[in-house]
Amino acid sequence: MSLGVYVSVPFCRSKCTYCNFASGVFSADRMGRYVERLGADVAACRALAAEHQAEIPGPVDSIYLGGGTPSLLLVEQLKSLFLAIRNEFQVDAKAEITVECAPGTLTDNVIATLLSCGVNRVSLGVQSFVDKEAASVARLHTRATILDDIARLRGSGITNINVDLIAGLPHQTRESWTYSIEQAIATEVPHVSVYMLEVDEDSRLGRELMAGGTKYHAHFAPDDDLTAEFYEAACERLNAAGVEQYEISNFARAGFESRHNLKYWTRQPYMGFGVDAHSMLSAADGSEGIEGWRFATTDSFDGYFTAAETKASPVTTEQAIEESFFLGLRLNRGVSLDRLRKEFGDRLDDYNQVIDELIGNGLLVRTENNLRLTPRGRMLSNEVFERFIEGRSLLAVEGK
Ligand code: SF4
């Protein structure tokens, strides 16, 4: 069993209006203190695991620096972060090592540093190839910047590139959305992520949309039905172009699925460090009734330094089964009922009624011993997952 390592770097050049993450614009001094604290947390992780009789497997086969904009870190800070990880963990020579980057932050110096740290995958927060749309949500790049970054990454040898897109941005039309999708395909990057705009209280644009206001270009945003239509069109067009959907929001050319994110959806162990970071580890042998442990840090930047206690929650067998369903069903390949039966035995029968009901509603389909979401189930996935959770609140699970 191998381990994934996630590091949260919550720093940004400016705050995008749609962003509901625990990220922001911070001074160089605070960024420096944060990196120091991260190093200390990485060094202390085995003590935390031991306290809860949780197992840290090895070696590390995926590292993911997310955020935020990790490419904003000074090159010395990037190096010290990777050094802290390599000092604590044995990192597989073929590990997938991803860094999230905002277009326009990849100077030649940063790219050289990423390479020297072993980075072999970059995820670009593009969101839209249409300059007006990107500018309206406070992104600081243009289409030309994106294409230049992709070309320079490839020139450096980093060819495993992801492009993030968001459906539902202000000013987006059928034509402009089609343009962004076609541009993503034309770049021939091997991985594309497509998210539907999240409308909630945690972002400025979300609050404005909920209030029906006009700030942040909210009145130019497509409605929910049109956003859903954009998402469906993206699935169709990307699949046809050979960038195949393998998860609700993720598409890849064959062999380029994100190893790191697959760990989240298949309940493989990972450790997260920094603000609003989550971990999942198996319970050591002999932990009666406990399948594993989930750990979560605070989502407050200041709280991370002052009351930085990591919340630990045991995962019972029942929760582990539910997680197996609502995480595994995110994948197009679905979940293998045979595999779950091997892992959980007759406890799986407790879910027969829910499964039958969801199949009857046309949200799930069963082929022999494999259970998958139908296309309609994918659109209503949260409702499907809630049926498995049955109202119990679980720790939030990592994935953007
Ligand atoms: S969307 Fe990304 S770059 Fe924009 S504010 Fe949020 S974390 Fe920062």
Side-chain angles (χ1 to χ4, degrees):
M1 187 78 84
S2 50
L3 181 75
V5 169
Y6 174 81
V7 181
S8 158
V9 183
F11 310 126
C12 300
R13 285 185 298 177
S14 65
K15 188 77 180 170
C16 306
T17 62
Y18 59 81
C19 181
N20 55 7
F21 299 148
S23 64
V25 182
F26 294 97
S27 66
D29 174 53
R30 296 178 92 193
M31 286 166 69
R33 283 202 297 129
Y34 183 75
V35 172
E36 274 175 33
R37 175 63 198 245
L38 278 175
D41 281 0
V42 170
C45 71
R46 289 184 198 279
L48 177 69
E51 194 183 318
H52 298 283
Q53 293 185 297
E55 278 184 345
I56 299 180
V60 166
D61 68 349
S62 76
I63 300 173
Y64 196 107
L65 263 60
T69 310
S71 50
L72 282 186
L73 291 175
L74 300 174
V75 293
E76 292 313 319
Q77 292 170 335
L78 276 169
K79 284 179 185 168
S80 85
L81 255 184
F82 278 103
L83 189 63
I85 294 169
R86 289 180 189 277
N87 279 344
E88 188 57 44
F89 302 104
Q90 184 206 334
V91 179
D92 191 285
K94 291 188 176 158
E96 175 191 272
I97 305 182
T98 307
V99 173
E100 284 185 356
C101 301
T105 59
L106 284 166
T107 63
D108 290 344
N109 200 13
V110 168
I111 292 179
T113 304
L114 295 180
L115 282 169
S116 74
C117 293
V119 174
N120 50 27
R121 185 171 184 272
V122 162
S123 178
L124 285 174
V126 168
Q127 322 311 356
S128 169
F129 280 91
V130 179
D131 294 351
K132 181 181 177 184
E133 292 171 13
S136 79
V137 291
R139 298 297 288 175
L140 300 177
H141 60 258
T142 62
R143 169 184 171 276
T145 320
I146 301 161
L147 298 182
D148 183 56
D149 281 354
I150 291 174
R152 287 183 312 106
L153 281 168
R154 283 195 173 123
S156 76
I158 299 177
T159 54
N160 193 352
I161 299 168
N162 169 60
V163 158
D164 278 347
L165 295 175
I166 297 181
L169 294 181
H171 301 291
Q172 223 164 40
T173 62
R174 284 189 181 89
E175 292 70 32
S176 74
W177 176 244
T178 301
Y179 178 78
S180 279
I181 296 293
E182 293 301 332
Q183 286 285 295
I185 293 168
T187 61
E188 298 185 347
V189 292
H191 196 286
V192 178
S193 301
V194 178
Y195 302 99
M196 284 195 275
L197 182 75
E198 286 182 24
V199 179
D200 59 30
E201 288 284 348
D202 294 332
S203 76
R204 288 174 292 162
L205 178 58
R207 286 193 293 276
E208 197 63 14
L209 281 164
M210 289 164 79
T214 58
K215 277 198 266 179
Y216 313 116
H217 304 254
H219 51 314
F220 293 117
D223 64 21
D224 290 351
D225 287 345
L226 191 52
T227 300
E229 184 188 315
F230 290 173
Y231 169 78
E232 286 179 326
C235 295
E236 203 172 296
R237 184 63 193 109
L238 287 165
N239 281 329
V243 191
E244 290 190 14
Q245 185 174 31
Y246 66 100
E247 192 265 351
I248 289 175
S249 305
N250 288 282
F251 303 77
R253 296 185 191 275
F256 286 93
E257 297 83 3
S258 162
R259 185 189 296 173
H260 187 82
N261 286 343
L262 279 168
K263 286 183 187 290
Y264 301 146
W265 304 315
T266 55
R267 301 188 69 252
Q268 302 298 307
Y270 56 88
M271 295 203 81
F273 299 96
V275 170
D276 200 17
H278 301 257
S279 307
M280 197 206 73
L281 296 173
S282 301
D285 288 344
S287 305
E288 200 61 23
I290 296 177
E291 299 284 332
W293 285 88
R294 286 194 178 274
F295 300 92
T297 61
T298 174
D299 63 0
S300 152
F301 187 82
D302 291 328
Y304 180 62
F305 291 95
T306 50
E309 201 157 289
T310 300
K311 187 177 163 197
S313 310
V315 180
T316 63
T317 303
E318 195 176 21
Q319 287 169 322
I321 297 173
E322 289 165 5
E323 287 181 11
S324 298
F325 280 118
F326 74 76
L327 294 172
L329 284 170
R330 294 189 64 89
L331 294 167
N332 283 43
R333 70 182 188 221
V335 295
S336 158
L337 295 174
D338 280 347
R339 195 186 60 72
L340 292 188
R341 189 163 294 281
K342 259 188 212 143
E343 195 175 347
F344 300 113
D346 292 344
R347 297 288 299 269
L348 210 58
D349 292 333
D350 297 346
Y351 297 85
N352 287 345
Q353 199 182 330
V354 175
I355 291 170
D356 288 343
E357 176 199 311
L358 291 167
I359 290 174
N361 291 343
L363 300 172
L364 289 180
V365 62
R366 183 174 179 158
T367 322
E368 294 181 2
N369 272 314
N370 187 271
L371 200 62
R372 283 180 289 119
L373 288 174
T374 60
R376 183 162 163 264
R378 213 165 284 132
M379 292 301 296
L380 300 173
S381 57
N382 285 341
E383 287 164 40
V384 175
F385 302 153
E386 272 165 24
R387 286 293 292 121
F388 283 103
I389 298 172
E390 293 184 324
R392 189 174 24 254
S393 66
L394 290 176
L395 284 169
V397 178
E398 290 279 7
K400 51 173 192 153

